[in-house]
Amino acid sequence: MLLLFVSLFTQLTSYPPIIYAATMASKIRKSSGSPDEFELQVAQEILNLEMSSNDLKGPLKDLYITAAKEVDCGAGKKAIVLYVPYKLLKSFNKIHQKLIRELEKKFSGRHVLVIAQRTILGNSYKRATRSAAPRPRSRTLTAVQDAILEDIVYPTEISGKRTRCKVDGKRIVKVYLDSKDQANVEPRTDTYAAVYGKLTNKQVSFVFN
């Protein structure tokens, strides 16, 4: 894997090959397996920002992603989802707007979203662990899906939700967003809905109030 890093990226930096490869590898830390080519590309861009941006150099120093993937949003559009450790989400949120703006310049035509890596614990949690403690509420399917939605629309606040049942039995969740962000967020709502649908298999629509 180190040789792959070197062959792909050393021509783009003045760092010695081995040092640069190791530095870039620190920007993506997967729990299992090796990064694919797209994830390496994203890690490279994050490292480039750390080296070149005065505003991001310090904050990005200790931050990294755990995965990155492209999501097809329909009509020929794609989004990029960056998964980050839950413990680092607040740190990413502090530089969210600047980081997203810079990454979307690099990946022209694609919206970039940051989502925390979370673990869902099933109903069998107590039996599997032989624990008398109840399953943490934050680890239920519903709680995790709600948290994903909050990550997707960040930094816009969700002011309310309403579930509507269609005649065919399907449910659509109408999500109300703070209207103060409407000018910047409205062009992104189709992406938000598509990504949330891909990740949770739930339909959502967004309105501002």
Side-chain angles (χ1 to χ4, degrees), residues 118 144-154 158 161 173 175 192 196 200 204 206:
R118 296 179 175 89
V144 169
Q145 291 181 339
D146 287 345
I148 289 172
L149 184 60
E150 292 176 358
D151 288 352
I152 287 175
V153 304
Y154 186 86
I158 296 174
K161 297 178 196 172
V173 180
V175 180
Y192 293 169
Y196 188 72
T200 67
V204 293
F206 295 94

Side-chain angles (χ1 to χ4, degrees), residues 22-156:
T23 304
M24 193 192 68
S26 71
K27 292 293 131 186
I28 178 164
R29 304 180 191 177
K30 298 180 72 71
S31 59
S32 62
S34 301
D36 60 27
E37 186 174 346
F38 178 71
E39 289 175 322
L40 294 177
Q41 183 183 1
V42 172
Q44 175 200 341
E45 295 299 347
I46 293 174
L47 178 59
N48 288 346
L49 287 174
E50 182 182 328
M51 294 188 298
S52 62
S53 172
N54 290 331
D55 293 335
L56 294 174
K57 184 174 184 178
L60 280 175
K61 181 180 179 182
D62 297 318
L63 299 183
Y64 58 91
I65 63 175
T66 58
K69 70 176 184 176
E70 282 189 303
V71 176
D72 187 352
C73 298
K77 297 181 179 179
K78 292 185 177 182
I80 298 173
V81 176
L82 306 182
Y83 289 96
V84 304
Y86 178 77
K87 65 180 180 180
L88 297 181
L89 180 62
K90 288 184 178 180
S91 297
F92 271 98
N93 284 347
K94 290 178 181 178
I95 57 170
H96 185 278
Q97 290 176 301
K98 175 70 174 178
L99 177 63
I100 295 305
R101 183 167 60 248
E102 293 301 322
L103 287 176
E104 288 182 349
K105 290 178 184 177
K106 302 294 184 180
F107 297 98
S108 180
R110 285 170 283 184
H111 290 145
V112 178
L113 309 176
V114 175
I115 297 176
Q117 194 88 51
R118 296 179 175 89
T119 301
I120 298 172
L121 299 178
N123 293 328
S124 61
Y125 166 75
K126 290 178 68 173
R127 294 194 303 272
T129 59
R130 296 182 179 179
S131 172
R135 175 178 51 160
R137 190 173 181 180
S138 62
R139 298 292 187 89
T140 64
L141 176 63
T142 299
V144 169
Q145 291 181 339
D146 287 345
I148 289 172
L149 184 60
E150 292 176 358
D151 288 352
I152 287 175
V153 304
Y154 186 86
T156 301

